[in-house]
Amino acid sequence: MLELASLINRQARFRAAAPALTFDGTTHTYAQFAERVNRTANAIAGLGIRHGDKVASLLGNCRELVELTFAVPSLGAVNVPLSPLLMGPGLSALLADAQAAALVTEVSMLPVIASIRDELPQVLRRRIVLVDGAEPGCFSLAELRSASADAPPRMTVTQDDLFNIMYTSGTTGLPKGIMHTHFVRAMYALLMGAAWRMTPESVVLHTGAIVFNGAYVTLMPCFHLGAHYVLARQFDAGEALDLIERHRVTHTMMVPAQIVALLDAPGFAAEKLASLQMILSLGAPLHQEQKDRLNRLLPGRFYELYGLTEGFVTVLDVTDSVRKAGSVGVPPPFFSMRIVREDGTDAAVGEIGEIIGRGPILMSGYHNRPDLTEKAIRNGWLFTGDMGFVDAEGFLHLVDRKKDMIDSGGVKVYPRDVEEVVARHPAVAEVA
């Protein structure tokens, strides 16, 4: 049995007084956080949720969403975090695709849910839980959590059981549900924690939406190590500066637009960020102009992650962030990468081809879409759809999305190359 499901209770036993989660100015120790997670798990179990059931959440950043992350899998059930930006038809489609048995949400989302209520399965209509109030036809999480704070009945959860289904942004058609097992999330905890040099004394700030997979690259190792997780309700550059200084934050991850906003914030001063040991950029390429600026203002902190929710990553380590600033690093231990031509043969050093990879965080597949799974994973290799090349030292250089390449009179033009030039213009703040 994999003990990921009982991780928080383990920390409550051995790190009871250590700070676990800070949100909206309130900090809970691991003992307090475990009690809240257990109450939530018992509340969800009280709805009749059992092993293998899908529990969807439609929440912005909040304490309850972090608690659900651990409470639901402790029952052997499956987390399905959904973006609160979803509109009625999109929400209805994803709830149906996930075969959700319950939905945890907030009062502000009730108008959206009301617009699709007739489309919801009867079982789901009877299991809508509100984290911030009570409404007719809905359960109140606060009332449900008046149940026992003891750990829920011990479940047999194997490493192959699903931990979550993460839906992609869905730029074309219905978003795909990416399935991660308990083993995959345990590998996030172990491998990412080592990559970021995190310890139980680390303080991890997250300012982006935690419904997206990128959040897990710091969330999982933080709670695995028993470190301190500081969660912002939403990104605000000034607030991020304040939180880093006040809590002596050591690790944070941001998308490129947030990094630029942080550096441009009126109150920015390098000394306010003196505690930082890591600023991780992920989600999109950070333009070279901004990488150079970050390394100049905050030397010795920059890491970059290139990766897909489907299960392949490379990491540019802080020790290489200046010397190899044009690359996105190398695969971590236990990962493999190839650059392949159209015919499937391996490209030469410096030759552009499609990036394919494999490793211990590979998804189980796309939920209900074996056809798309077969296209994405071939002979154990994930075909990313991204174009790149490796240099003589094996470092990956990202070029662009395969489908974004422009063929201009037989000449291959990659939009990212154009963006890099435009970003260097002094009158340009951001490029998309």
Side-chain angles (χ1 to χ4, degrees), residues 232-253:
R233 190 171 291 276
Q234 59 191 15
F235 177 77
D236 177 270
E239 182 190 22
L241 287 170
D242 178 62
L243 289 171
I244 291 169
E245 185 175 28
R246 189 187 333 153
H247 293 287
R248 306 296 296 164
V249 169
T250 59
H251 294 70
T252 190
M253 54 144 288

Side-chain angles (χ1 to χ4, degrees), residues 162-306:
L162 281 187
F163 186 94
N164 60 247
I165 300 174
M166 308 295 291
Y167 280 93
T168 64
S169 55
T171 52
T172 56
L174 182 70
K176 301 184 288 289
I178 297 169
M179 299 185 291
H180 294 137
T181 62
H182 279 251
F183 176 83
V184 165
R185 286 310 187 195
M187 291 301 102
Y188 267 74
L190 292 166
L191 298 176
M192 300 299 178
W196 318 140
R197 297 171 173 81
M198 288 170 60
T199 72
E201 289 71 46
S202 296
V203 182
V204 180
L205 171 66
H206 191 78
T207 58
I210 56 173
V211 297
F212 299 117
N213 189 65
Y216 287 75
V217 305
T218 55
L219 186 151
M220 293 308 300
C222 178
F223 285 100
H224 163 250
L225 290 165
H228 182 188
Y229 197 71
V230 180
L231 178 65
R233 190 171 291 276
Q234 59 191 15
F235 177 77
D236 177 270
E239 182 190 22
L241 287 170
D242 178 62
L243 289 171
I244 291 169
E245 185 175 28
R246 189 187 333 153
H247 293 287
R248 306 296 296 164
V249 169
T250 59
H251 294 70
T252 190
M253 54 144 288
M254 296 183 181
V255 299
Q258 293 171 335
I259 290 175
V260 173
L262 188 74
L263 298 179
D264 288 339
F268 175 83
E271 54 268 25
K272 290 185 178 181
L273 309 181
S275 62
L276 279 180
Q277 299 167 17
M278 178 190 83
I279 301 175
L280 172 66
S281 175
L282 83 176
L286 181 63
H287 290 123
Q288 190 62 49
E289 179 81 3
Q290 301 299 346
K291 283 188 187 181
D292 294 342
R293 183 182 173 204
L294 179 60
N295 280 322
R296 185 174 65 254
L297 293 172
L298 296 167
R301 275 93 158 198
F302 178 64
Y303 293 71
E304 186 167 17
L305 180 143
Y306 156 74

Side-chain angles (χ1 to χ4, degrees), residues 86-129:
L86 283 167
M87 294 294 99
L91 175 60
S92 176
L94 295 192
L95 289 171
D97 185 73
Q99 301 164 321
L103 173 64
V104 184
T105 187
E106 51 195 297
V107 171
S108 64
M109 297 303 302
L110 286 179
V112 176
I113 295 166
S115 71
I116 60 169
R117 198 170 180 98
D118 290 341
E119 303 170 32
L120 302 178
Q122 188 63 31
V123 65
L124 180 53
R125 278 185 239 170
R126 297 199 307 269
R127 291 170 170 168
I128 296 176
V129 181

Side-chain angles (χ1 to χ4, degrees), residues 15-23 25-36 63-64 67 145 223 227-229:
R15 292 185 58 77
L21 174 64
T22 293
F23 180 74
T26 299
T27 299
H28 286 133
T29 65
Y30 270 99
Q32 294 166 331
F33 182 60
E35 181 178 318
R36 292 178 64 90
R63 185 174 292 106
E64 290 83 0
E67 293 159 2
R145 287 203 302 199
F223 285 100
H228 182 188
Y229 197 71

Side-chain angles (χ1 to χ4, degrees), residues 317-355:
D317 187 69
V318 65
T319 58
D320 297 308
S321 63
V322 175
R323 185 178 71 89
K324 288 288 187 179
S327 83
V328 289
V330 299
F334 311 117
F335 287 75
S336 300
M337 178 181 68
R338 293 166 55 203
I339 307 297
V340 297
R341 305 183 181 101
E342 286 287 343
D343 63 4
T345 59
D346 289 341
V349 170
E351 181 184 355
I352 295 172
E354 183 174 359
I355 304 161

